[in-house]
Amino acid sequence: MSEISHLSPQIVWQFFDQICAIPHPSKHEEALAQHIIRFAESEGLAVRRDATGNVFIKKPATAGMENRKGVVLQAHIDMVPQKNEDTDHDFAVDPIQPYIDGEWVTARGTTLGADNGIGMATCLAVLASKDIEHGPLEVLLTVDEEAGMTGAFGLQEGWLEGDILLNTDSEQEGEIYMGCAGGVDAGLSLAIEREPVPADHTAVKLMIKGLKGGHSGCDIHTGRANANKLLGRFLFAHAAELGLRVNSLKGGTLRNAIPREAFAIVTLPANQADALQSHFDQFQSILNAELGNIETTIKLSVENSELPADVLSADSQQRLLALLNACPNGVVRMSDDIPGVVETSLNLGVITTETDRVTLLCLIRSLIDSGRSSVEHALSALAQLAGAQCEFSGAYPGWKPDPDSEVMHLFRETYKDIYGNIPDIMVIHAGLECGLFKEPYPNMDMISFGPTIKFPHSPDEKVNIKTVGLFWEQMVAILKQIPVKAL
């Protein structure tokens, strides 16, 4: 056990410590799922799985609470695997190393997985507790939420019996979420041709590192820079002037994380090496002036590289740099209906280069279907102009707010009774699984709440210790107050 296991509430932190010790990035959740199943069986609880791999655990009501409405506690098993470049960590094998940093818990050089590990730990703590009053209880733990919401897509009608679902995947204490953005993945694929490296060329690697990155929904409005876009901006501006020829571009690792790093292998006339260094240094100064209040550790560097066998043809390179530079990114539109909330956004998350093509992976989010469609059309038009292919996949619906939600009003009054103030009722510009759950369970009443988590999907991720205690206090209180089910 690590030092976090001694924090309060200890039952929650001990479960989270166990979760950190078992690798569980998206697509690699099985070891943690089996650990949870063994725990449930040791507690004498009914546990089962569906064909997708989701885990269901059922706990009977405490004495005298059998007539209450059934509650489903919900979290996702997987975590986003992001690390600093100088961190030696294999997410499929190595445990997360959490530690206490003042008022926060964070991890050494990697994402912490508080998104959604704290929510999952709280669900398990409710199952393990012997002194919490609650009605009929189910826990639903879904798989692969971060990489495509596979578990939520696979949830079938009839697996859940509850009337109310409490999603634990929100990241700001004091706020109740009852709506979220929908989204769709977009892939732009540009076929490329190659040719031999021009004579008298030398090769270098251009690197942009040190950006904060973050969640492509929750952090998209913060002004954080996108490393892919910065690299495209420099190359488009200076490739012709310096005689740069691109061999490959690489940036970002996940379509739902703002890319923190991007790299290019380029060749150029040997006599232009000093000029390239000068221009890249100047670009560093420009970015420091533009972004320095937010991106405090941005670092641009040039290093020698082995001469590649080929480079993109002049036409392929021109089309690629135009596509990358023109691709929209960031906030597209703020909501008119919900002040301060992003309506529509786009994150250019990943660039990869193969022998015959370059691929750009993006994630479009919007609170409204028409906003999502508008960006889809813009990307399709851009692909046509660049001679690229554009495909969309994995679309998931938003979660439309229900102002008449009984559990929302109940939570609000319970919160007021505990703390003397009313929590904010919010819609989040991130993808919560509730939108998908509404399809097989349209009448289920849902809210989402959680502790304060900063910078999810980045190695800066941290969770506020005090708010984990508040989150637990709220969970215990709301379970006790669930109303009687009408006959």
Side-chain angles (χ1 to χ4, degrees):
M1 294 189 296
S2 75
E3 61 179 350
I4 70 170
S5 64
H6 303 293
L7 293 171
S8 180
Q10 195 168 28
I11 190 171
V12 175
W13 286 106
Q14 286 181 347
F15 273 113
F16 183 61
D17 198 32
Q18 293 174 29
I19 289 167
C20 289
I22 302 172
H24 57 287
S26 300
K27 313 291 186 184
H28 299 275
E29 308 102 315
E30 188 60 24
L32 182 53
Q34 290 298 329
H35 175 80
I36 292 169
I37 289 169
R38 289 192 295 272
F39 152 74
E41 291 174 342
S42 72
E43 293 286 327
L45 301 173
V47 58
R48 58 198 173 111
R49 301 185 80 178
D50 63 12
T52 311
N54 298 321
V55 178
F56 300 81
I57 306 170
K58 192 171 181 179
K59 185 179 182 182
T62 55
M65 301 280 284
E66 295 87 353
N67 63 343
R68 303 297 179 96
K69 288 187 175 182
V71 174
V72 180
L73 305 182
Q74 191 269 320
H76 61 81
I77 300 176
D78 60 319
M79 65 170 286
V80 167
Q82 290 277 284
K83 65 178 182 176
N84 290 323
E85 187 187 34
D86 59 355
T87 299
D88 183 14
H89 188 95
D90 183 346
F91 283 95
V93 177
D94 299 328
I96 300 299
Q97 299 179 40
Y99 68 96
I100 300 170
D101 183 14
E103 299 176 351
W104 304 83
V105 169
T106 188
R108 302 191 188 281
T110 70
T111 38
L112 173 64
D115 172 17
N116 184 216
I118 287 290
M120 179 165 43
T122 301
C123 294
L124 298 178
V126 171
L127 292 176
S129 176
K130 303 300 187 288
D131 57 2
I132 294 176
E133 297 180 66
H134 59 81
L137 193 67
E138 299 168 83
V139 168
L140 166 62
L141 304 177
T142 55
V143 296
D144 197 35
E145 189 268 354
E146 300 288 6
M149 295 197 178
T150 305
F153 272 110
L155 183 63
Q156 297 295 311
E157 182 180 358
W159 277 81
L160 300 177
E161 299 174 6
D163 308 285
I164 294 168
L165 185 140
L166 302 179
N167 172 276
T168 63
D169 199 14
S170 296
E171 293 158 0
Q172 184 59 54
E173 195 284 319
E175 297 178 349
I176 307 173
Y177 290 91
M178 50 179 298
C180 71
V184 66
D185 295 333
L188 299 168
S189 178
L190 179 69
I192 56 174
E193 296 180 346
R194 294 182 176 271
E195 60 187 38
V197 177
D200 301 323
H201 269 220
T202 187
V204 297
K205 184 177 185 179
L206 303 179
M207 297 179 287
I208 297 179
K209 301 192 294 184
L211 301 181
K212 292 186 180 298
H215 192 294
S216 68
C218 299
D219 297 320
I220 200 71
H221 65 288
T222 62
R224 295 184 177 193
N226 182 310
N228 292 335
K229 289 294 293 180
L230 296 184
L231 184 61
R233 173 179 166 181
F234 179 82
L235 291 172
F236 186 82
H238 298 289
E241 173 188 359
L242 298 172
L244 301 179
R245 300 301 300 274
V246 175
N247 167 263
S248 63
L249 299 179
K250 178 183 178 182
T253 57
L254 296 167
R255 92 272 190 258
N256 61 351
I258 300 170
R260 299 175 295 110
E261 300 174 341
F263 310 91
I265 301 295
V266 301
T267 71
L268 73 164
N271 62 5
Q272 291 284 15
D274 290 342
L276 171 62
Q277 184 67 65
S278 177
H279 280 298
F280 218 44
D281 289 343
Q282 184 180 16
F283 192 44
Q284 169 92 61
S285 298
I286 291 170
L287 296 181
N288 286 341
E290 288 183 6
L291 306 168
N293 289 334
I294 298 172
E295 299 291 359
T296 56
T297 59
I298 185 170
K299 182 180 179 181
L300 276 61
S301 59
V302 182
E303 68 177 30
N304 293 329
S305 179
E306 182 179 348
L307 193 70
D310 52 38
V311 292
L312 273 63
S313 67
D315 176 68
S316 294
Q317 176 171 311
Q318 183 179 29
R319 289 186 293 115
L320 171 60
L321 297 186
L323 176 64
L324 176 56
N325 200 57
C327 185
N329 181 77
V331 175
V332 175
R333 194 171 191 275
M334 300 298 290
S335 174
D336 291 334
D337 298 324
I338 311 168
V341 174
V342 178
E343 176 203 277
T344 304
S345 72
L346 173 69
N347 181 56
L348 202 177
V350 184
I351 301 175
T352 55
T353 304
E354 301 176 55
T355 302
D356 61 348
R357 68 187 57 252
V358 176
T359 302
L360 280 60
L361 297 181
C362 305
L363 176 57
I364 304 168
R365 301 180 189 266
S366 186
L367 300 177
I368 58 176
D369 291 343
S370 60
R372 189 181 76 186
S373 296
S374 176
V375 179
E376 288 178 347
H377 295 157
L379 288 183
S380 296
L382 183 60
Q384 289 181 23
L385 292 171
Q389 293 182 329
C390 184
E391 295 184 353
F392 302 99
S393 62
Y396 57 90
W399 172 24
K400 186 177 179 180
D402 176 10
D404 298 321
S405 166
E406 180 183 35
V407 70
M408 181 272 289
H409 290 288
L410 176 62
F411 189 102
R412 185 173 59 183
E413 293 305 312
T414 302
Y415 191 99
K416 182 180 178 182
D417 290 343
I418 298 173
Y419 306 118
N421 59 287
I422 298 175
D424 295 325
I425 310 301
M426 302 289 292
V427 172
I428 191 171
H429 189 70
L432 297 176
E433 294 171 290
C434 298
L436 287 168
F437 297 154
K438 276 290 187 180
E439 294 187 348
Y441 300 94
N443 298 319
M444 188 173 285
D445 198 358
M446 303 180 186
I447 61 168
S448 179
F449 67 114
T452 297
I453 299 171
K454 297 295 186 183
F455 318 128
H457 298 194
S458 84
D460 295 326
E461 181 185 8
K462 58 184 181 179
V463 60
N464 184 268
I465 296 168
K466 178 182 178 180
T467 66
V468 173
L470 297 176
F471 175 47
W472 175 247
E473 187 176 39
Q474 293 154 23
M475 178 67 78
V476 172
I478 192 69
L479 288 176
K480 184 177 181 179
Q481 297 298 324
I482 295 297
V484 171
K485 185 171 183 175
L487 297 178

